[in-house]
Amino acid sequence: MDFLDKLNPQQRQAVTVGAGPVLVLAGPGSGKTRVLTQRVAYLIGYEGVRPYQMLAVTFTNKAAREMEGRVRGLLGEEATNGLWLGTFHATCARLLRREAEHLPFDSNFVIYDEDDQQRVVKAAIRDLNLDDKTYRPPSVHGAISRAKNDLIFPEEYTTQTYRDEVVKRIYKRYQELLKQNNAVDFDDLLLWTAWLLSENPAVCEKYAWRFVHVLVDEYQDTNYAQYILLKHLASVHRNVFVVADPDQSIYAWRGADYRNVQRFEQDYPDCQVVLLEQNYRSKQTILDAAMSVIDSAPHRRRKKLFTERGQGERLSYYEANDAYGEASFVVDGIVQLVASKQYEAGDCAVMYRTNAQSRLLEEAFLAARLPYRLVGAQRFYGRREVKDIITYLRLVHNPADEVSLDRVINVPPRGIGDKTVLALHTAARGTNVSPSALLFDLARGDASPSWPQFTGRAVLPLADFGALLANWRAEAARATVTELFDRIATDINYKEYLDDGTEEGAERWENVQELRRLTVEYESRTLTEFLENVALISDQDTLTEGQNAPTLLTLHAAKGLEFGVVFIVGLDDGILPHSRSFDEPEAMEEERRLFYVGITRAKDRLYLIRCLRRGGRGYAEETYPSRFLDDIPPELLNGSSRAGGRSQRFSNTQSWTTPSTPKPAAVKRATFTAGMRVKHPVWGEGIVLTSRIQDDDETVDVVFESVGNKRLAASLANLKVISYQ
């Protein structure tokens, strides 16, 4: 076994380290998975540890399969027999089935997936005679999940508000229903394992004695439940070997707690710490930029990342006029890189903070007739919430569209179940009219001859929906696409339906808002044109699938991946870092780590991109560069701005690819003053808070009654003064 000869000094130190607790702090691209698997091989091949005496855990099935394959490749099939290697959840399920006699469920328990869990939550809410519109199942389940990750059972669930009291009751009923079905959810696998090891000393001692060595990958992504159960399993021999990069802890919204790395050093003050700092992925300039960003984070152990791959080119910084220019720059840049034979299309990746940002990128690729791959999310127009609103608009445009009717007639839920829909279609066929026509007739109330054909419970929601549809049809005849969009979304309370307080709910509503921004471009065009354009864009046939294509993905989905060329878009304050992090220091630092993860995905070239104004054509808000850009030294950057002139952000650099002649100072006077009442064509009336001349334009801060504070460029906003104060 000569695999040790292929390790660098730091890797070799980590693999051959002696007994006791070990913390390996690994930088990105430093071979941490290689170190973990070779540590397993070393213990078996050199130290004589039996495979069944070892437990190795990670987070994904892909990582577990990779680790298992590498170990077997080093030692052979038979040498690994009995080794416990797998994900946290698989390991816990295995242990729970073995020890089911101590648990409130049988060993043949089933594991409910996310859809199953939602159905059980809904059943618990129904059993308690509660309103699932007031207590949204996704929101309630999120609270239950957080409690389980903190090892809190229903009985210990603390309450400070009436809602907390209700969630506690739902949680209790949810667990009762799981027990009735001999089922557990994913969080239960961790919860019950931690409980078993805590409450049954004999069981804990049994496994703590068995596992002489416990090895953990991606330790920075562990939650409290995982932290506790690992402490129990390593309580006898204390040979716990964890590999972590706290700088890549980006999953707090899933319960991950980077502070577990700090707790490890507190729990094991005698632990040996090994740094893996040699990077095998990126050029040095990219690593220097990444370190400049992450070194500004407090309370962290610094690493000095280095590589033998050479210095590499400076990072490219670009400011577009707007989000359309941002997307165009990305597509044009990839086309040029591929045409120059420097890279294959599949070597390129485009990364962004939120799923909604993919819409304009997808459209730019489609307009250029270029294939792309979307990772970690559906195509924008294939997302449920986007399809819902488009379907509503299609139905208003063409009420005879029964496919659209059936999709949205009970979205959001309005008491029109499958039996009622079937009855509607049956009655419509019986009277030789379309289902929508029958709905219009039912909207007249008991004056409709079809009214008696339905039960009282069914006919009222049908009549109400018919009235809504009739009103929207009348609105469509005189309203813009955006006004109709807003009317529908308001009438069906769609924001309340989607935005249930969870991260996913907020992202779904952001996707709806992104679609709304597209409608603004149709202020002087028809609903027919809008629907035709969307239908062509969303047609799967317009997308040529293929492996050799640029990858579009969120920064969260990018962790663990690498690409020759990376474009990071949307580097504006409010996007990255996200506005939700502004008032929460820990959330802000996670946003910093997210940017760091994106930077370190790049092997050879990195593009950092933002736009001066963001919004739909016809209106835009001035944006400000991401505060994280200030941490990157100017000498690491090349940059240019399509808007003309130098970026304010890098006004002191001498590395511009397209310098421009300085403009004379602006002499125009402000049109708007504080206290003015103004009207915007989209957001309605508002009051001016401040106004100033900047870059030959007037920047106006307005608080609108409909959407709150907005910062606008006066030349684009089309504001009209209503009154002076």
Side-chain angles (χ1 to χ4, degrees), residues 288-348:
D288 290 344
M291 285 186 291
S292 68
V293 169
I294 203 64
D295 281 347
S296 297
H299 314 303
R300 57 178 293 275
R301 186 191 295 263
R302 291 198 173 193
K303 298 186 290 289
K304 180 65 176 177
L305 302 181
F306 68 94
T307 183
E308 295 179 355
R309 294 197 63 231
Q311 189 67 29
E313 299 181 28
R314 287 187 285 191
L315 281 58
S316 297
Y317 175 77
Y318 183 79
E319 286 183 341
N321 268 327
D322 56 23
Y324 294 90
E326 184 179 55
S328 296
F329 174 81
V330 170
V331 173
D332 293 346
I334 292 175
V335 168
Q336 292 173 17
L337 290 170
V338 174
S340 66
K341 307 295 185 183
Q342 298 180 68
Y343 297 94
E344 295 288 329
D347 295 329
C348 304

Side-chain angles (χ1 to χ4, degrees), residues 48-60:
V49 179
R50 302 294 186 184
Y52 64 81
Q53 295 178 308
M54 303 177 67
L55 169 66
V57 290
T58 186
F59 277 84
T60 67

Side-chain angles (χ1 to χ4, degrees), residues 314 317 632-640 646-657:
R314 287 187 285 191
Y317 175 77
I632 301 177
E635 60 268 21
L636 299 180
L637 294 151
N638 280 327
S640 62
R646 298 182 177 183
S647 162
Q648 294 179 10
R649 160 76 182 88
F650 299 117
S651 58
N652 294 324
T653 72
Q654 300 300 317
S655 56
W656 292 91
T657 58

Side-chain angles (χ1 to χ4, degrees), residues 118-282:
Q118 292 293 329
R119 283 196 290 270
V120 177
V121 172
K122 291 177 182 177
I125 292 172
R126 184 174 59 249
D127 290 351
L128 295 172
N129 296 316
L130 297 168
D131 182 4
D132 63 4
K133 294 180 181 178
T134 303
Y135 302 99
R136 299 286 188 186
S139 179
V140 172
H141 184 262
I144 293 173
S145 178
R146 289 189 292 273
K148 289 185 176 184
N149 287 333
D150 288 336
L151 302 181
I152 298 172
F153 283 91
E155 296 75 18
E156 295 92 35
Y157 192 90
T158 57
T159 60
Q160 296 180 335
T161 66
Y162 176 72
R163 181 180 177 82
D164 293 339
E165 292 282 355
V166 174
V167 171
K168 180 175 183 176
R169 289 162 53 201
I170 298 172
Y171 183 10
K172 180 180 179 183
R173 181 57 182 158
Y174 174 77
Q175 292 300 98
E176 291 171 351
L177 291 173
L178 289 177
K179 183 178 179 181
Q180 289 177 18
N181 290 279
N182 193 37
V184 298
D185 62 22
F186 290 122
D187 296 317
D188 278 330
L189 294 172
L190 304 177
L191 173 70
W192 284 112
T193 302
W195 175 88
L196 180 67
L197 298 175
S198 298
E199 300 299 320
N200 292 269
V203 174
C204 181
E205 188 174 356
K206 170 183 174 181
Y207 288 95
W209 274 105
R210 170 174 179 160
F211 295 129
V212 179
H213 289 271
V214 177
L215 303 96
V216 188
D217 195 14
E218 304 287 3
Y219 186 72
Q220 77 280 351
D221 290 337
T222 55
N223 59 29
Y224 182 68
Q226 291 161 331
Y227 162 75
I228 290 296
L229 67 88
L230 287 171
K231 280 190 65 175
H232 285 307
L233 292 173
S235 59
V236 171
H237 300 287
R238 298 180 77 253
N239 294 323
V240 55
F241 181 98
V242 303
V243 181
D245 184 357
D247 296 334
Q248 294 191 72
S249 181
I250 58 173
Y251 299 125
W253 50 278
R254 289 196 322 213
D257 190 347
Y258 73 95
R259 291 171 297 187
N260 285 346
V261 177
Q262 299 171 358
R263 294 186 180 112
F264 186 90
E265 295 189 77
Q266 295 169 1
D267 294 337
Y268 304 104
D270 59 331
C271 75
Q272 303 176 71
V273 179
V274 181
L275 299 180
L276 298 186
E277 298 173 302
Q278 182 171 353
N279 180 284
Y280 292 89
R281 175 188 301 151
S282 305

